[in-house]
């Protein structure tokens, strides 16, 4: 935090001098507004950041022709703030304004045009519109392949972006293929302890983690951590992220004491380097809450989730998707504690955000599933089934038919049908869950083991 506050102080002093010495539409004043806006963005004060970026933009609009590349940069800056604020429709609006300028003023194979497609692709990916994301990323890749040498680092960025979409779609073999292409480029061009190489390992780790291959994920995450320890200062945010990643694997493996130790190390770094109300401080609280939830220490879990919520309420707009995620986390703890009405209240708060904001529909699907689980526990099976079907409909529309997240809902529906003694329907759903899990998950994955247990329970009833 000290570095940010000193930098902000320096920029504000310079700005004061510019305001006194320069006319109000001078380009240097726009640069100064941009510098201050960028610092507020890093600090997490997004309303202030937006104010300064917009002031810079007003000067540029008066001083420059309407298709000047600097205006495109300005649109992208404003778009990035709206992204962090969770307003994806506004983000898309400003990124597309920038993109139109690039299309008019740059050659078809210009790297900035590729970068613009990449920005739009990243936004569509976060919104869960994976086909549009792939379309944008592939346009970016096509330009990059024509414009740059086959081992250029920007080509690795393009491969990584496409790999991320396939990972989010649950197509892990395709994801690994693109991540490996990116990694080979970086290995050729960078020293072994370069942070970018560590980031590449991280991408591969996440695929193995999602596949439930925790030993492989741990192997890669520890490679990453070693690089960061050698290359970065001990309080660098990438080290905090690395502790989080390793902690998440230990949590999945059931080694909760190790997970807690690592999440606390992550929190300590962020606490030292970020302002006390920075929205990113909510992330380690969320992780700690999830470990305690896994340990069935629901009181402690609730305590950490509520700390995360308090930060997000202070720093993010009411409709930000991350607030909805925290409401869902709190709702899940109340469900596990048997406080079903409280659980419903928090899941509805999450849903109210997700249904009324242009966010990732898959987040809605998760909340529908959470509501379904709560109603199932309350033995209101018809309402539970309604929510499970809503969640399933979204996941079937947005994800490949063999995605593991679809299997999760089939399993929930199988347990519901088992409870109401509709054993043939229960068997149909658990078999669908098993079919997906056996294809996509390792034989030791916890979900697959759960599905087999449910299958055996149903089989005994038939």
């Amino acid at each position: 935090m000290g570095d940010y506050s000193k930098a902000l102080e320096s920029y504000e002093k310079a700005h004061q001098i510019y305001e006194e010495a320069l006319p109000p539409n001078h380009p240097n004043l726009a640069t100064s507004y941009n510098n201050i806006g960028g610092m507020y963005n890093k600090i997490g004060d997004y309303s202030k950041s937006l104010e300064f970026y917009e002031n810079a933009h007003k000067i540029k609009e008066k001083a420059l022709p309407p298709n000047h590349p600097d205006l495109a940069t300005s649109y992208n800056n404003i778009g990035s703030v709206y992204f962090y604020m969770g307003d994806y429709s506004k983000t898309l609006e400003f990124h597309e304004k920038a993109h139109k300028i690039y299309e008019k003023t740059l050659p078809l194979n210009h790297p900035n045009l590729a970068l613009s497609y990449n920005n739009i692709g990243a936004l569509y990916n976060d919104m869960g519109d994976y086909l549009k994301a792939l379309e944008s990323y592939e346009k970016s890749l096509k330009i990059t392949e024509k414009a740059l040498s086959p081992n250029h680092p920007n080509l690795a960025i393009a491969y990584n972006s496409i790999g991320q979409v396939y990972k989010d779609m649950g197509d892990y073999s395709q994801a690994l293929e693109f991540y490996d292409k990116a990694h080979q480029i970086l290995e050729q061009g960078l020293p072994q302890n370069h942070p970018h190489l560590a980031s590449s390992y991280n991408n591969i780790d996440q695929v193995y983690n999602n596949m439930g291959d925790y030993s492989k994920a741990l192997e890669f995450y520890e490679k990453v951590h070693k690089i960061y320890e050698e290359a970065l200062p001990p309080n660098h945010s990438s080290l905090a992220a690395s502790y989080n990643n390793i902690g998440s694997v230990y949590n999945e493996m059931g080694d909760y004491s190790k997970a807690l130790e690592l999440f606390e190390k992550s929190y300590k770094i962020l606490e030292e380097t970020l302002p006390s109300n920075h929205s990113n401080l909510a992330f380690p609280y969320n992780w700690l809450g999830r470990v305690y939830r896994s340990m069935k220490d629901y009181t402690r879990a609730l305590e950490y989730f509520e700390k995360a919520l308090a930060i997000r309420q202070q720093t993010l707009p009411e409709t930000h998707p991350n607030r909805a995620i925290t409401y869902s986390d709190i709702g899940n703890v109340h469900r596990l504690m048997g406080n079903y009405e409280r659980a419903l209240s928090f899941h509805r708060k999450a849903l109210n955000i997700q249904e009324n904001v242009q966010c990732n529909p898959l987040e809605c699907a998760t909340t529908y599933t959470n509501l379904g689980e709560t109603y199932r526990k309350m033995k209101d099976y018809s309402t539970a089934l309604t929510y499970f079907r809503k969640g399933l409909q979204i996941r079937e529309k947005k994800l490949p038919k063999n995605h593991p997240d679809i299997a999760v809902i089939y399993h929930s529906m199988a347990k519901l049908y088992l409870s109401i003694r509709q054993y043939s329907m229960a068997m149909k759903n658990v078999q669908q869950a098993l079919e997906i899990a056996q294809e996509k998950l390792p034989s030791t994955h916890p979900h697959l083991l759960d599905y087999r247990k449910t299958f055996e329970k149903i089989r005994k009833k038939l």
Side-chain angles (χ1 to χ4, degrees):
M1 175 55 189
D3 290 342
Y4 289 149
S5 58
K6 284 178 185 174
L8 185 59
E9 186 182 338
S10 297
Y11 283 140
E12 286 176 337
K13 282 180 180 176
H15 188 73
Q16 192 174 0
I17 293 167
Y18 286 141
E19 280 192 315
E20 291 171 1
L22 299 173
N25 61 347
H26 195 282
N28 285 1
L29 203 55
T31 302
S32 178
Y33 279 127
N34 258 341
N35 291 338
I36 296 171
M39 285 312 306
Y40 275 119
N41 201 18
K42 287 179 181 177
I43 290 169
D45 189 338
Y46 302 125
S47 58
K48 274 281 189 186
S49 177
L50 196 58
E51 178 189 333
F52 280 92
Y53 277 147
E54 285 174 343
N55 284 340
H57 187 73
K58 284 173 188 173
I59 293 172
K60 289 179 182 180
E61 273 190 318
K62 290 176 182 175
L64 300 171
N67 60 352
H68 195 283
D70 282 358
L71 274 175
T73 303
S74 182
Y75 284 132
N76 275 332
N77 287 340
I78 294 169
S80 72
V81 181
Y82 278 118
F83 175 79
Y84 289 121
M85 293 172 75
D87 191 336
Y88 296 145
S89 58
K90 276 283 189 186
T91 307
L92 188 60
E93 177 190 331
F94 281 94
H95 282 331
E96 285 181 338
K97 283 181 179 181
H99 189 75
K100 282 177 185 174
I101 292 173
Y102 290 139
E103 282 187 317
K104 288 176 183 176
T105 59
L106 298 175
L108 291 174
N109 63 347
H110 195 283
N112 281 1
L113 197 58
L115 185 61
S116 180
Y117 278 124
N118 212 63
N119 288 340
I120 293 168
L123 179 61
Y124 278 124
N125 196 47
D126 281 336
M127 291 166 68
D129 196 336
Y130 299 129
L131 293 179
K132 282 191 177 179
L134 271 179
E135 183 186 334
S136 292
Y137 282 145
E138 283 166 354
K139 285 178 180 177
S140 174
L141 177 62
K142 193 175 179 182
I143 293 169
T144 307
E145 283 178 327
K146 285 181 180 177
L148 302 173
S149 62
N151 61 348
H152 194 283
N154 282 9
L155 199 57
I157 292 170
Y159 286 137
N160 273 332
S161 297
I162 293 172
Q164 185 182 347
V165 182
Y166 281 119
K167 173 182 71 87
D168 292 341
M169 289 172 71
D171 191 339
Y172 300 132
S173 59
Q174 279 280 72
L176 283 173
E177 182 185 327
F178 279 95
Y179 282 150
D180 283 338
K181 282 182 180 180
H183 192 73
Q184 284 170 25
I185 292 170
L186 295 174
E187 269 191 325
Q188 289 171 20
L190 297 174
Q192 287 187 345
N193 65 344
H194 195 285
H196 287 179
L197 201 58
S199 298
S200 178
Y201 280 127
N202 254 339
N203 292 332
I204 297 168
D205 299 338
Q206 286 165 11
V207 178
Y208 284 117
N209 196 26
N210 286 6
M211 290 170 68
D213 190 343
Y214 301 128
S215 59
K216 197 79 171 169
L218 204 54
E219 176 190 330
F220 278 97
Y221 277 141
E222 285 172 347
K223 281 183 184 178
V224 171
H225 195 74
K226 191 176 180 183
I227 293 171
Y228 285 151
E229 280 189 318
E230 290 174 1
L232 300 173
N235 64 345
H236 195 280
S237 60
S238 291
L239 264 173
S242 178
Y243 283 127
N244 256 345
N245 289 336
I246 299 171
S248 68
V249 179
Y250 278 113
N251 187 39
E252 293 291 347
M253 293 168 71
D255 190 340
Y256 302 128
S257 59
K258 190 73 176 171
L260 282 174
E261 178 191 333
L262 290 159
F263 288 142
E264 282 164 0
K265 283 182 179 179
S266 172
Y267 177 73
K268 192 175 179 183
I269 291 171
L270 294 177
E271 193 179 34
E272 288 173 1
T273 56
L274 295 175
S276 59
N277 64 344
H278 194 288
S279 61
N280 283 357
L281 280 173
F283 287 109
Y285 282 138
N286 261 350
W287 280 114
L288 286 163
R290 286 170 188 172
V291 179
Y292 282 115
R293 185 177 66 197
S294 299
M295 295 168 69
K296 300 184 180 179
D297 186 343
Y298 300 133
T299 305
R300 294 291 294 278
L302 209 51
E303 177 189 329
Y304 281 104
F305 285 138
E306 285 171 348
K307 283 181 179 179
L309 181 61
I311 290 172
R312 286 177 169 163
Q313 285 175 327
Q314 287 173 23
T315 59
L316 299 175
E318 285 184 14
T319 56
H320 196 287
N322 284 353
R323 282 177 73 158
I325 289 167
T326 307
Y327 286 136
S328 279
D329 282 327
I330 294 171
N332 283 335
V333 176
H334 280 298
R335 173 173 56 82
L336 292 165
M337 293 171 75
N339 301 331
Y340 300 130
E341 291 299 333
R342 292 281 289 161
L344 289 177
S345 169
F346 279 98
H347 288 319
R348 284 174 185 143
K349 283 182 181 181
L351 196 61
N352 188 48
I353 292 171
Q354 292 161 344
E355 286 186 330
N356 291 292
V357 176
Q358 190 178 1
C359 64
N360 190 335
L362 292 166
E363 291 172 6
C364 267
T366 299
T367 304
Y368 287 138
T369 307
N370 289 337
L371 281 162
E373 282 295 333
T374 307
Y375 279 112
R376 185 176 72 83
K377 286 289 186 181
M378 296 170 73
K379 300 184 180 179
D380 184 346
Y381 298 122
S382 62
T383 306
L385 195 56
T386 299
Y387 280 112
F388 285 145
R389 284 172 174 161
K390 282 185 175 184
L392 183 62
Q393 186 179 20
I394 292 171
R395 286 183 179 172
E396 285 183 327
K397 184 179 178 182
K398 289 291 182 181
L399 299 172
K401 63 181 181 180
N402 57 356
H403 194 287
D405 285 353
I406 292 175
V408 170
I409 301 185
Y410 282 136
H411 184 235
S412 293
M413 291 170 71
K415 289 189 289 184
L416 184 151
Y417 284 120
L418 177 60
S419 297
I420 61 175
R421 301 180 183 180
Q422 291 189 23
Y423 301 128
S424 59
M425 286 297 291
M427 180 57 76
K428 178 185 174 184
N429 279 275
V430 80
Q431 283 176 334
Q432 287 173 302
L434 274 169
E435 189 178 326
I436 293 169
Q438 285 168 342
E439 181 188 347
K440 303 300 282 186
L441 301 176
S443 60
T444 55
H445 195 285
H447 286 183
L448 182 54
L449 299 177
D450 281 346
Y451 302 164
R452 284 177 175 153
K453 284 178 187 175
T454 304
F455 175 84
E456 285 303 316
K457 285 180 186 176
I458 298 165
R459 188 180 61 80
K460 288 174 182 176
K461 295 288 185 181
L462 286 170

